[in-house]
Each structure stands twice: as C-alpha cells, then as structure tokens.
Amino acid sequence: MKYDSVPILEIALNIQVNTDETCSRMVQTVLEVLLFQRSQIPFCYNVFKSIVRKISGHTRESDQLTEWSNYRLTKQRATVQEAAETIELLFKQLSEAVQKSKAGLQFMILFGSTVFTAKEAFLINVPEVNKHHYPQYHRHSMETILKQVAMKITVAEELHDKPKVTGPTNTFLLMGLNSDSSAQLLSEEHENWQLINEYKLPVNCKQYVINLSNQTGNNTRLHCCKEMEVFNDQLKDLGIAKQSRECLDLESGAPERPEIQTSNVWLQIGNCVKGLKTELIQGKPIW
C-alpha cells in the first residue's frame, strides 16, 4: 500500500492497559461508525440495534395491509433482523480472534462487492495488546476510550472527503497475521473464517489509515491481575519477577509504533455484512 496520498487519521488515547477486550471493542467502535457513515445501516448502530429489537418483539396489528404488502413487510423485517444478527456475530468473532492472536495486530475494513473488488479500505493499526491483565478489572476506563474513538472517527475530515461508497454494498473485516498468529488461529476450525495469502488492494480502491496509539502519560506500573509481585524476593529465585518486569514494559508511557506497513497474510473474520436497502410499503418505511 502506498501512503503518499493516503489520508491518515491519528487518534491518541490514554489507555491505562490495552487488554484483548479493549482492542476488539476499539475496532468494533470504528466499524459501527463506518457502517452508518457509509450508508450500510440507516441509523447509528445503537439506535439501529434498539429498533430491530422492537421490530422483532411485536407486529403492528393496526396496519391494514394487503396480502402482497404483508409479504413485503415480513420479508423486509426478516432481512433487517438477519443483518443485525450478522453484525453481532461478526463482533463476537472479532473478540474471539483477538483473544487467540498474538502481537502485531492489524485490521482492515473493506467496502465493496468482494474483498478483491473493494471500493474503500480502512487500515486500522492498534496499540500493543497486554495479555497479562484480566479485561474485567479494567473496564472502568474503557467506555471513555470508546467514546473518544467514536467522536474522532465521526468528525474526522480525512475520512469523509469524497467517499466512493455512498449506498448499500458488502462490508468485510480482515485481520492481519504474523506467522505465529496464523498457526495458532488456524489450528482450530472456525466457521466462516477464510485465510487470504498475499492479499493486495485493487488499484482503484480508495484507501484510509487509522492509527490508534497509546499516549498515556502514566508511567507507573500496575501491580494487578497476573502481574502482582507477591513475595517478590522469593519469586526472583523462580524467575517470575523477571518475567513480570518484561510484561510490565508494555505499559510504558512512551508509545512505540513501527513504520506503517500492511500484512501479507490476512484472515477474513466471519461473513460479510450486507448493506440494507429498504423499500416503502404503502408509502411508509419499515421503521
């Protein structure tokens, strides 16, 4: 990927500990915003999910519909519910993929008919994930981070300058792999996961780069989760204290990001999300 003319959005975040859950939720948040901005869903994701839940819960008996109109309404409701379920399943599989992977994570969101005919591509670089902390003990600061990511993506002019995707199409989520991650992820069978070797974006594909970096100024070490140095003198003899110090180096305040580059091996996570295109029924939308 050539970066001379590629819009790059830098998002600096104060991440105390970047756990598996924090990483997957940040990528999920980027995808949620882009699905709405690229007209794949008619509302922002939280509103869309809430409306679909209500549609699934009851049928409006007061509507006087013809048999044909009732068929169209039922079909559209099924399509909308299927789209919502596909998105939720994709988020679940994203979380699973991050948990099973190792260092060097990179993600790419594609909009287009297929991954090989993509019209737009969003490359997402994430901070190093610390595997030595339990996510449930660090969720108190995660919501603030996710709100910052959503706001930055929403208002970023770099991502909205003459977009090529303005209507419903397919959305794909890819994760870049190194050799270790590839072997570990593919050691078990995963439904709808597809390995793509030597993947290259189409020449006419509009490209964007989103760099999520950790700019926290807190240099203190967090002695919690799996990194609690209990009875430190005794642990030194077992070599555990040394291992703990190496793990805690991931939490230094000075962010380190390698030169921007893309992976040669990509894993497509889950099925594509099909953009919604609804029709009017007796002059009214399904919503």
Side-chain angles (χ1 to χ4, degrees), residues 50-173:
S50 177
I51 293 178
V52 172
R53 189 181 298 114
K54 291 182 179 180
I55 291 177
S56 304
H58 62 84
T59 302
R60 294 181 59 185
E61 298 179 356
S62 60
D63 289 340
Q64 300 297 325
L65 300 175
T66 63
E67 183 177 353
W68 171 241
S69 297
N70 187 60
Y71 168 77
R72 292 168 60 199
L73 178 63
T74 302
K75 185 176 181 180
Q76 283 202 37
R77 282 176 174 168
T79 301
V80 168
Q81 293 167 4
E82 182 181 358
E85 292 173 358
T86 301
I87 296 174
E88 285 296 319
L89 179 59
L90 181 61
F91 291 160
K92 181 179 179 180
Q93 293 182 329
L94 166 63
S95 177
E96 181 182 355
V98 173
Q99 290 177 6
K100 293 181 177 295
S101 64
K102 293 187 178 180
L105 288 181
Q106 203 173 38
F107 299 89
M108 190 153 52
I109 299 172
L110 303 177
F111 293 96
S113 299
T114 68
V115 294
F116 300 103
T117 59
K119 295 181 179 179
E120 284 189 343
F122 294 82
L123 178 68
I124 306 172
N125 294 310
V126 297
E128 191 74 18
V129 175
N130 193 328
K131 298 282 187 176
H132 302 275
H133 284 265
Y134 297 113
Q136 60 268 30
Y137 299 135
H138 298 280
R139 288 173 182 162
H140 59 281
S141 60
M142 183 175 64
E143 291 301 325
T144 301
I145 295 171
L146 298 180
K147 290 179 181 178
Q148 292 176 351
V149 172
M151 181 186 67
K152 294 289 185 181
I153 298 295
T154 301
V155 302
E157 296 181 358
E158 297 89 339
L159 307 183
H160 311 311
D161 184 21
K162 299 179 181 178
K164 297 187 68 174
V165 175
T166 57
T169 185
N170 294 330
T171 305
F172 303 88
L173 178 60

Side-chain angles (χ1 to χ4, degrees), residues 235-283:
L235 294 177
K236 287 181 180 178
D237 298 333
L238 301 176
I240 301 177
K242 179 180 178 182
Q243 180 183 5
S244 178
R245 287 193 297 272
E246 292 175 352
C247 298
L248 291 169
D249 288 340
L250 295 174
E251 298 175 6
S252 62
E256 295 183 1
R257 180 174 294 281
E259 294 183 1
I260 299 175
Q261 57 183 358
T262 58
S263 303
N264 290 326
V265 180
W266 292 90
L267 179 69
Q268 178 183 334
I269 303 175
N271 290 325
C272 69
V273 177
K274 297 181 180 180
L276 287 176
K277 183 179 180 181
T278 57
E279 301 176 355
L280 296 179
I281 300 177
Q282 291 189 350

Side-chain angles (χ1 to χ4, degrees), residues 13 145 203:
L13 302 167
I145 295 171
V203 177

